[in-house]
Amino acid sequence: MEPDLLQAAKKGDDEALRQLFDRYRPLVYSIRNKYFLRDFDDQDWLQEGLITFHDCIQVFEAGFGTTLGALFKRSFENRIRSLVRKECAYKRRSTQQAVSLEQQMAQEGSEFLAETGLGLSPLDQILIQETFEECQQLLSSLEKEAFVIYGLGNAVSPSSSEGSMQRAYDRSRRKIRAHLRKRRQENMD
């Protein structure tokens, strides 16, 4: 490595920084192959790499027993790990507050979509409400009861065994999924 190029990059010479970074660009690609960040494209990876490389240039001292490449590799990998942890924490936070669609349907019936809107057009809301009502007609009274009980996470009623309720719940889910697949296929044709 050229000490003049390093000193110029430390003093803010963008061209010198880019020339040095180009030498370490393959390291960015090798780390990219080890980690997945949703919504990160090549430009995002290179930008994160360049920012990290700039920070490494600022603190790098040649006489301290490490190379610029080793410093950059460790720093960049730590930066990416932090981004992965942050992404995972965001996913956990959003799923902790989630309520299953089955629970919502069981609690509020088909009206919950119309009330909340969920960012859907009025036509989509009507189609979903009609689909939910059609699905209710497919189910026996035991299957409806099981769907509501298991959807809410409640205990099984004493009048029926847990095994039969579980089977009724499984049947209700299969029927609803089959109906939704059929409707989706009809809409595609």
Side-chain angles (χ1 to χ4, degrees), residues 20-35 45-46 48-50 52-53 56 67-78 80:
L20 282 173
F21 179 68
D22 284 342
R23 295 177 186 177
Y24 294 98
R25 186 182 300 240
L27 191 91
V28 172
Y29 294 125
S30 72
I31 292 175
R32 180 189 67 187
N33 291 334
K34 290 171 59 176
Y35 297 96
W45 281 95
L46 290 173
E48 288 298 325
L50 186 58
T52 304
F53 189 73
C56 289
T67 63
L68 180 59
L71 176 64
F72 174 57
K73 181 180 180 187
R74 174 164 281 174
S75 298
F76 186 59
E77 199 156 8
N78 287 342
I80 296 303

Side-chain angles (χ1 to χ4, degrees), residues 110-183:
S110 60
E111 297 298 318
F112 86 96
L113 290 171
E115 292 171 9
T116 60
L118 295 176
L120 301 173
S121 71
L123 178 61
D124 289 337
Q125 291 178 17
I126 290 170
L127 290 173
I128 291 172
Q129 186 171 354
E130 288 173 356
T131 302
F132 181 71
E133 290 169 1
E134 290 171 6
C135 289
Q136 284 184 328
Q137 294 171 2
L138 295 172
L139 305 178
S140 69
S141 58
L142 180 64
E143 291 167 342
K144 284 180 193 175
E145 180 183 356
F147 189 80
V148 169
I149 288 172
Y150 280 99
L152 290 173
N154 294 337
V156 178
S157 67
S159 63
S160 57
S161 71
E162 179 149 355
S164 66
M165 290 301 280
Q166 180 64 48
R167 288 189 298 276
Y169 174 69
D170 292 340
R171 281 193 309 274
S172 68
R173 288 180 54 133
R174 279 194 303 273
K175 286 181 179 180
I176 291 170
R177 285 183 179 145
H179 180 73
L180 292 175
R181 272 190 230 107
K182 181 181 171 189
R183 289 244 356 217

Side-chain angles (χ1 to χ4, degrees), residues 90-104 107 112 118 151-152:
Y90 177 76
K91 285 184 205 175
R92 278 194 308 272
R93 184 178 63 222
S94 65
T95 58
Q96 287 173 348
Q97 299 169 354
V99 175
S100 76
L101 183 61
E102 293 165 348
Q103 283 180 330
Q104 197 74 20
Q107 287 174 343
F112 86 96
L118 295 176
L152 290 173

